Structures are given as C-alpha cells and as structure tokens.
Amino acid sequence: MLVQPNIELKKINIVKKNITDSISRWIRPEIRALKAYHVPPATNCVKLDAMENPYQWPESMVDEWLELVKDVELNRYPDPSARVLKESLRQTMSVPDNAEILLGNGSDELIQMILMAVADKEQTVLSVAPSFVMYDMVTTYAGMKYVSVPLNNDFSLDVDTFLKAIADHTPAIIFIAYPNNPTGNLFDRNDLQKIIDTAPGLVVIDEAYHAFADDSFMNEAGSVDNLLVMRTVSKMGLAGLRLGLLAGKPEWLAEFDKVRLPYNLNVLTQATALFALSHQSVLDAQTETICKTRTHLIAELTKIESLIVYPSDANFILFRTEKDQANKIFEKLKEAGILIKNLSPMGGALTDCLRVTVGMPDENDAFINALVKSL
Ligand code: PMP
C-alpha cells in the first residue's frame, strides 16, 4: 500500500505511552509469554551440556586453516548460494543427485525458513514430546499451532496416536528428530515410513545426530514428494560455524529459498566448512572416538544403581535420577565445575531427567566422579 499525500493537513495527535504499555500494545502476546532461549555461562566449566564435539583439530591443520583464512575477502559479500560448499556437502552427506540442497545458518535457521514460508495461524506443526525445543518455539514465532504426541514410557514412538493426530490436525509440517533430542534414540524406521506415507504435508526428518547413528532417510530425499532431510555440521565438530543442510525435492526447496536472507552463510563459514570437509577423515576419527567413549560412559553410568540410563544413538546420554534428586545433583555437579543439562524443570516425561554430552575421556571421568559424590 502506498500512502497518498494528505492535502488537508490535520494536526497529528500522538500520545506517547510508557514502555510497558507500548510493549503490550505492539509485541504479540504469545511472544511476550515466551522465555528467550537461555544458554548458561560455561566459563571454567567442563562443558557437557550442549552436544558439542569436544575435540580440537591437529596443530598442522589449524596452521593450514589460518593460512587459508588470511586470503578470505572480508570486504566482499559471500557467494549467496554457496555453490562450491553445497557440492562438497553433497559428497560428504551422500545427498542423492535428484535432491536439491538448501543451506542455513545452522539447522535452526532452516526450521525458521520452513515455518516462515508456511506461517499461517490456521495451520498446525506436529511433532513428538519430548523433542527438540526449537520446533515448538519457532512455531510460536511463526504464529502457528503446535501439537505434540507424547512418546511411550521407554521414549519409543506411539505410532497409532501419531497417525490419529495427523488425521485430527492435518499438519502442514511434521518434525521428527532421528535420533531424537533429548532422548537420544532412533525411532522405528517403519513407523516413520507410515508417517511419511500418511502425512498430508511435509515431513522433516531432522538428522542432526546422524554422525553417531546407523540409519538415515537421506537416500529417499529427492524421490519422496513430501520428505525433507535435515543435517547439521554442528555435531561433527563445527558447531561454531553455524551451518545446516536441508535436502529434498527442488520444487519445495525453491519455495523455502525465497524466505532465505540473501547472504545467510558468511565468508568465514563457507571457507572454513569447505576446508574442514576436505579433511573429513579428521572429523570422522573424532566421531568414531566419541562413539567408543559413549559405550564406556553408558557402562559407567549403568553401574550406578539409583539411575535409569537410556540407550543412545547420539553424542549424549539421557538418564533418570531417583525422585526429586535431579535438581540437587545438577547443582552439585555445577559446584564441582561440571555443566550438564537439567531437563527436570521441563516436566512431564523429563521430570527427574538429566542429559550429559559425551566429552573427552578425562571429562567423562571427572563427571562420573562428581556424579557419584553428588548422590
Ligand atoms: N536439531 C536437533 C535435533 C538439535 O538437537 C539441534 C541442536 N542441538 C539442532 C537441530 C540445531 O542444530 P544447529 O542449529 O546447530 O545446526
């Protein structure tokens, strides 16, 4: 709408309100009701709260990278479509030839792009509970309805209830984290296939933790009309770069590309990710070490009789403490300089649950020692 000049100049009467009233007037109630995503400070802590890969690169690789970064042209905008990086990721992540790729500033941004393209208050986003909190949060940002189907007691998927929820709510988008965060498990592949076959809209299989798991839907991306597969480099040791990937039918991705901000991947991310992917064997070796260490950490946790330890296909482990002990244990670990994630305040199935990221062997030992003392 173009404002027409007002020929009869009227006196404009603007009454300035105080800031609280102004916020109530202009900020949507559902945003006012939210709490911003909180990341606790972790200075001088053993950081086992955020599913990061704890390993650094070998010194020679760091030197080679610094040489490369010297030549990055910070005065220029980045390649808006990151063509070279996309091709490298296509190889590394085995994206099928018939699938298109869309890159995001972390997979968080891809979730945002998908929902922004749909953003309609009549439309529903469906997932399971508990799952990755950003599905729910970004749905709220987009002004849409969020519905979640509780997982079974062992955190497996209740497929019959999920299929009923699809029939009841006709979701525009379904998000399934595979493996799931914060539970760490893969769901039954046949159940996910049923969901994909039944869904009227898109199904996003979020494979953020793929590096630590043995299964994937990537082969189907590009062949199945309503399937998108999402990955990230964050769990492969590159969380600081902020780079996520979405693979699927070109027709869908062309729509999401319209809501992508033009230069969403900065020059340093593009150059560094390309460099890191050309040293894939270093990242793979780190992932392999994390998987081996995970087995050891699960064994150590399982020795503690008062805990229930859940199986993990990811780089973190969920465990349940005795009733009402999670907050106390979390605080005692923090006092001992070890930061994990307290999920108990989220309630529901996560009451009394804590989540620990698999760290380096000495970090895991420090965690187990402090945990035993905190019980
Ligand atoms: N999906 C899942 C299931 C996650 O747990 C996370 C981060 N913890 C993400 C997506 C976002 O990853 P990033 O934005 O770092 O790519």
Side-chain angles (χ1 to χ4, degrees):
M1 183 184 104
L2 202 60
V3 175
Q4 297 302 327
N6 192 348
I7 309 157
E8 291 170 50
L9 269 180
K10 288 188 194 140
K11 197 166 167 226
I12 301 170
N13 204 1
I14 295 175
V15 181
K16 286 268 184 195
K17 296 202 167 181
N18 72 36
I19 189 158
T20 315
D21 290 345
S22 292
I23 287 171
S24 303
R25 181 172 176 200
W26 298 113
I27 303 290
R28 284 187 278 144
E30 63 270 28
I31 301 298
R32 279 189 271 130
L34 283 179
K35 281 205 179 100
Y37 190 83
H38 174 65
V39 180
T43 326
N44 301 327
C45 274
V46 175
K47 195 171 182 310
L48 302 175
D49 64 329
M51 288 88 89
E52 292 144 331
N53 165 337
Y55 295 100
Q56 304 283 343
W57 293 345
E59 212 177 302
S60 60
M61 190 169 149
V62 173
D63 290 343
E64 206 186 317
W65 170 64
L66 287 172
E67 276 306 308
L68 176 110
V69 163
K70 270 190 200 160
D71 295 330
V72 171
E73 293 187 331
L74 296 178
N75 57 320
R76 302 284 176 202
Y77 283 113
D79 172 359
S81 58
R83 238 162 307 140
V84 186
L85 177 56
K86 268 189 197 168
E87 276 325 298
S88 173
L89 284 163
R90 184 181 286 283
Q91 301 303 321
T92 317
M93 299 202 172
S94 306
V95 179
D97 290 344
N98 59 354
E100 188 50 84
I101 292 176
L102 184 67
L103 299 183
N105 190 328
S107 39
D108 284 343
E109 194 192 34
L110 292 166
I111 298 169
Q112 191 185 43
M113 283 188 229
I114 295 167
L115 295 183
M116 238 195 315
V118 178
D120 179 326
K121 66 178 184 340
E122 298 304 323
Q123 300 298 344
T124 298
V125 174
L126 182 66
S127 189
V128 296
S131 195
F132 183 40
V133 289
M134 292 314 287
Y135 305 149
D136 189 355
M137 289 190 77
V138 182
T139 300
T140 305
Y141 308 159
M144 297 171 71
K145 289 182 274 190
Y146 187 76
V147 174
S148 58
V149 174
L151 295 174
N152 295 318
N153 285 343
D154 62 355
F155 296 130
S156 61
L157 193 116
D158 177 354
V159 72
D160 292 335
T161 308
F162 203 95
L163 294 177
K164 183 169 180 310
I166 292 178
D168 289 348
H169 298 281
T170 323
I173 310 284
I174 293 172
F175 285 105
I176 303 280
Y178 186 73
N180 190 36
N181 171 17
T183 57
N185 55 320
L186 285 169
F187 299 123
D188 185 319
R189 190 183 170 95
N190 293 327
D191 287 348
L192 297 197
Q193 198 58 60
K194 280 185 207 160
I195 290 169
I196 295 165
D197 293 344
T198 313
L202 273 169
V203 180
V204 182
I205 303 290
D206 177 353
E207 298 186 353
Y209 300 95
H210 168 71
F212 315 98
D214 287 333
D215 197 33
S216 170
F217 279 80
M218 189 57 96
N219 269 344
E220 273 72 53
S223 318
V224 179
D225 273 1
N226 65 335
L227 171 69
L228 297 174
V229 176
M230 194 161 71
R231 293 271 184 93
T232 176
V233 302
S234 295
K235 316 300 168 187
M236 295 163 45
L238 304 170
L241 290 186
R242 312 303 301 126
L243 174 61
L245 171 147
L246 192 67
K249 286 261 185 188
E251 294 89 332
W252 281 114
L253 295 205
E255 297 303 320
F256 300 131
D257 198 35
K258 295 176 191 171
V259 298
R260 183 176 63 83
L261 294 176
Y263 303 109
N264 62 330
L265 295 185
N266 71 70
V267 281
L268 291 171
T269 293
Q270 292 195 33
T272 307
L274 250 179
F275 169 79
L277 295 175
S278 72
H279 291 77
Q280 183 65 30
S281 58
V282 173
L283 304 182
D284 288 346
Q286 293 178 346
T287 299
E288 209 174 302
T289 306
I290 292 169
C291 288
K292 283 191 188 137
T293 321
R294 172 181 68 191
T295 309
H296 179 69
L297 187 54
I298 289 180
E300 290 299 305
L301 279 168
T302 310
K303 283 184 197 161
I304 305 173
E305 277 184 6
S306 60
L307 305 179
I308 297 171
V309 184
Y310 294 96
S312 171
D313 295 289
N315 63 340
F316 58 87
I317 300 160
L318 182 77
F319 58 98
R320 192 181 294 282
T321 67
E322 282 180 333
K323 195 169 178 318
D324 297 334
Q325 295 302 298
N327 293 343
K328 182 199 83 181
I329 293 172
F330 172 75
E331 289 303 331
K332 284 201 169 174
L333 286 171
K334 210 159 78 174
E335 280 164 27
I338 292 166
L339 187 63
I340 64 168
K341 178 82 177 174
N342 184 7
L343 296 164
S344 197
M346 297 179 81
L350 294 175
T351 305
D352 303 322
C353 281
L354 298 168
R355 186 191 67 197
V356 62
T357 303
V358 180
M360 290 188 280
D362 59 332
E363 295 177 318
N364 300 333
D365 290 348
F367 158 68
I368 291 286
N369 287 336
L371 177 63
V372 170
K373 283 187 196 143
S374 73
L375 295 172

